[in-house]
Amino acid sequence: MISAGESLLDTFPGRLFIEDMRSFGGLAIPERLVRAAAWSVSGYLYSDRWLDVAGLDVDDPELRAYDAAGLAALSGLTAFGSPQIHQGTLTEWRAPNIRNREPLSALPNGAFWTSTPITDGEDTWTLCGENLKRESPRWEVHFDAKRVRVARIDSAGDWAELIDSHSATAGGCKYPDWPAIAESWDAVHLSPAGLLLAHPKISDTPFDPTDASGRAHSEAGRYASVAHWSAVSTAWLRVPPDAEARPALVTPIDSGQT
């Protein structure tokens, strides 16, 4: 859940998301929210858009209202559940072989990845620009959601708690120790709110405005950032319980943001 005191205004992706909502609207449209969240992270890491929001007045009443409305809208999106969407044909189930990446990363090595369906034909990968070709296979993964031990990352607090429970450290930064986490959890789900909130806080993490992107700042916090997840998704550390795979609908090609 979103921890008390967390704000979209205290991360660069969160601020970019708010600016996007102010410019284009879409708080009531689930697919618009998911796409905007992913594009905000991309704008943070791979462009200089984050510099445009570095000097926002976080006490501005209008911005604070958008912050509250944005968090409420994100919290109301479809929660993790069955089915999930896998990119690629599924012909057999193989147990994930979970390892830490070298160098250490916020991402596990060897996980089975799925996205969350948002509409009848779109999911959190297609909405952020992944798997746009009609010939790309998409498969529904059905499972017993009640039996899944899933760690839900809806906030920076959730992410820090997961890392603190099983952590590995490099360069003064804490990373998830994925093999240890796999002993306690079947899956880790990153929600739209978590994708925007689990980054170094602007209020307590120094940043270098001469950097042409947000990559340096993304790596500057006490905890590894979720930036490299890049989209709302689920990392499966074990095969989903009672898993069944079926071909999914193909999303029409749509590379636009609105």
Side-chain angles (χ1 to χ4, degrees), residues 166-183:
H166 300 290
S167 63
T169 304
C173 181
K174 286 186 175 182
Y175 293 84
D177 183 353
W178 287 109
I181 290 171
E183 294 295 321

Side-chain angles (χ1 to χ4, degrees), residues 44-107:
Y44 172 44
L45 291 179
Y46 305 117
S47 78
D48 59 3
R49 286 184 59 215
W50 70 297
L51 296 175
D52 296 337
V53 296
L56 288 184
D57 178 6
V58 298
D59 294 320
D60 179 83
E62 181 186 7
L63 286 177
R64 294 181 70 85
Y66 268 99
D67 181 30
L71 288 174
L74 291 166
S75 298
L77 289 174
T78 304
F80 167 85
S82 177
Q84 291 278 294
I85 304 295
H86 176 70
Q87 181 173 310
T89 303
L90 283 172
T91 58
E92 62 179 318
W93 295 103
R94 297 181 181 178
N97 180 18
I98 304 302
R99 306 174 302 283
N100 289 326
R101 298 193 179 197
E102 297 182 5
L104 288 174
S105 171
L107 297 170

Side-chain angles (χ1 to χ4, degrees), residues 125-145:
W125 282 343
T126 59
L127 287 170
C128 76
E130 296 289 338
N131 197 21
L132 292 175
K133 297 180 180 179
R134 289 182 180 274
E135 64 268 21
S136 298
R138 295 170 64 248
W139 283 64
E140 292 183 353
V141 178
H142 295 259
F143 53 90
D144 186 348

Side-chain angles (χ1 to χ4, degrees), residues 2 6-10 13-28 32-33 36 56-75 196-197:
I2 297 175
E6 292 198 40
S7 167
L8 293 168
L9 292 169
D10 210 10
R15 290 187 181 189
L16 290 170
F17 175 83
I18 287 176
E19 287 295 278
D20 198 13
M21 292 297 100
R22 293 174 76 188
S23 299
F24 301 106
L27 286 174
R32 182 73 181 82
L33 289 169
L56 288 184
D57 178 6
V58 298
D59 294 320
D60 179 83
E62 181 186 7
L63 286 177
R64 294 181 70 85
Y66 268 99
D67 181 30
L71 288 174
L74 291 166
S75 298
L196 293 171
L197 291 171

